Amino acid sequence: PGSRAMALRELKVCLLGDTGVGKSSIVWRFVEDSFDPNINPTIGASFMTKTVQYQNELHKFLIWDTAGQERFRALAPMYYRGSAAAIIVYDITKEETFSTLKNWVKELRQHGPPNIVVAIAGNKCDLIDVREVMERDAKDYADSIHAIFVETSAKNAININELFIEISRRIPSAD
Ligand code: GDP
């Protein structure tokens, strides 16, 4: 109520991580609140936006979903350079995707924006029976680099909205 317009924050966020960890599915769950098991592999990168209201502010997320393949890796700086936050995704059922994540963290530290907010998402947490990465290990690593950490499931809608809200809370206001 009232005539004052609600403040709008625009937050550019990029997703990084190996192919198949669920980057597109996380974005799809957040933006459309649905899950498509036959989602198209990301070609290059796709762009989506979603605006959510949180604590009397509108948060407009401008989301760049990069492809993880090595051949697209050279393109990644285009996405993370102007980003306020990067979500680095791994698959809790594939140890090697957690190693790749550490390389992304190094690259961001070396070449990314100095104050970029880093969030680590251990996706596919619905598949605990075939887990390879312990939650404790990932959390300790995230703490050591001052990153946000959550385990997510795009499939079962676990911690997806929470991930984006936490990112928004961590990004300082422009004013
Ligand atoms: P991307 O290459 O990182 O963008 O990964 P995709 O979003 O294309 O997902 C790769 C595969 O993992 C697809 O078959 C998805 O259906 C599946 N997937 C994504 N997220 C989840 C999840 O949370 N749980 C499960 N069980 N499968 C998922």
Side-chain angles (χ1 to χ4, degrees), residues 13-34:
V13 177
C14 68
L15 282 94
L16 303 168
D18 271 345
T19 301
V21 295
K23 298 181 297 298
S24 304
S25 299
I26 287 172
V27 176
W28 198 241
R29 170 60 74 189
F30 179 59
V31 172
E32 297 290 337
D33 196 18
S34 67

Side-chain angles (χ1 to χ4, degrees), residues 139-150:
K139 169 83 171 108
D140 286 348
Y141 173 69
D143 285 348
S144 77
I145 60 157
H146 309 290
I148 294 165
F149 173 73
V150 277

